[in-house]
Amino acid sequence: MPRRRIPFSSTPLTRAALTLLMGFLACFFPSPIHAENDGGSLEEPLQGFIYLEAFETRKEFLLNADAIRNLAPENADAPLDDTRRGTLINAFRTLLDKGCKVSTDGEPIQFEPDRVDFVVMDPEMGPQPDTRNPIPQDEAILAAVFAAPANGFPKEIKIEWSLFPNQENPVPVLAEAMSAGTQRLMTTKTLSFTPENPSQTWIVPELEAAPELLEVPPPTLAKNSSSWPLAAGIALIGIVLAAVTRSSRVKDKTTFLTAAVLALLLAAGISYRAFNHQNLARLNDEESAALVETLLKNVYHALAFRDESTTFETLSKSLDGPILEELYLDIRRSLYLEEKGGPRTKVLKITLIDCVAQPTSDRDGIKARAAWTSIGSVSHWGHLHARRNQYLGDLVIEPIDDTWKITQVNLLKETRL
């Protein structure tokens, strides 16, 4: 599918779409998964992080002022104004990428720089963009994120490290693998690198395979039985009229015979339509709940991808109408904010709590009032939080191109858990 680019300003963001995305992506009150970097400074001059996820592999770095000076001594005394920061960011973008080489199952990973910037350490939220100008030399902290697409989890990961700002102390690297469908990290391992031991291999425990889109049951059709009584009644009238024409008392037999033929033809037409026309079969409560949960999970599934075309194509399999482009635009906006230093969101699990559905009055479809929870994580530069929220909303689901799709969403309530 060719990449479809839609500018942010091409359509207005409706309240429903924006609220839905905020429900998907909003940062809740955090519950720390690991908080080694909380506070105003780093415990180590250089810290590394390797994150394995079903669709993405990342390597992340945090460097304090000493590490910056030791790894880039030629610029150690320059003030950290805009020019100085830009120079260091460009230098470390290359230095950090080359200084940490990662291979999975024997294949080297080609990372792309995702974010490189100066940050300050927030006690609750971890690294946040440092907007001071200039930044005090001794308070500088540089953060970097490099990302690469993945397809499931590797069996083995090898890390080759050549960044040693302090030759005497080992550099700690936290390796984590997070499996979809669970609230917390599935496995964690802390590695230490020294000039004498610059290469390590981690055998990754077997994790849940990369999730696929769930299969949506097709709309089923039922024979239209409501027209049979009408067809039978008209046919009976035709038979009676035909019988009347045989009576000797009827002088204008042509009129009665014509009416009888027309009645019989009309009855035949109604019968043919009733036999061939099919109505949408009504879903029972259990089927409606399963359909709602499947479509919700597939919508959240689109948030795992970084490629715009893949995101839009995945959303289009579960959404239709204005909500499709509006939610897609909101996801693009959230990715843009991530690139500017905002948090990165991952939704790991969706659970349907309750669902009450009924047929729509003006179209073939159902209107469902559903309650569900989402469990996920929010990360920013080596800092990761668990998130959990509960929602109540009205969804309209219709058969589009022989499959069920969500065409309307109205989020009624959002509760932080």
Side-chain angles (χ1 to χ4, degrees), residues 11-25 319 321-331 407-411:
T11 62
L13 299 177
T14 66
R15 180 179 180 275
L18 183 59
T19 304
L20 180 63
L21 182 76
M22 291 302 101
F24 290 163
L25 303 180
L319 302 174
I323 189 67
L324 170 60
E325 290 192 357
E326 288 160 1
L327 185 55
Y328 169 70
L329 289 172
D330 285 343
I331 292 175
T407 57
Q408 294 182 32
V409 176
N410 180 22
L411 199 63

Side-chain angles (χ1 to χ4, degrees), residues 350-373:
I350 304 299
T351 302
L352 188 69
I353 302 173
D354 188 34
C355 179
V356 178
Q358 60 185 8
T360 52
S361 59
D362 58 342
R363 64 193 78 184
D364 287 334
I366 62 173
K367 181 178 181 180
R369 175 158 293 184
W372 70 94
T373 60

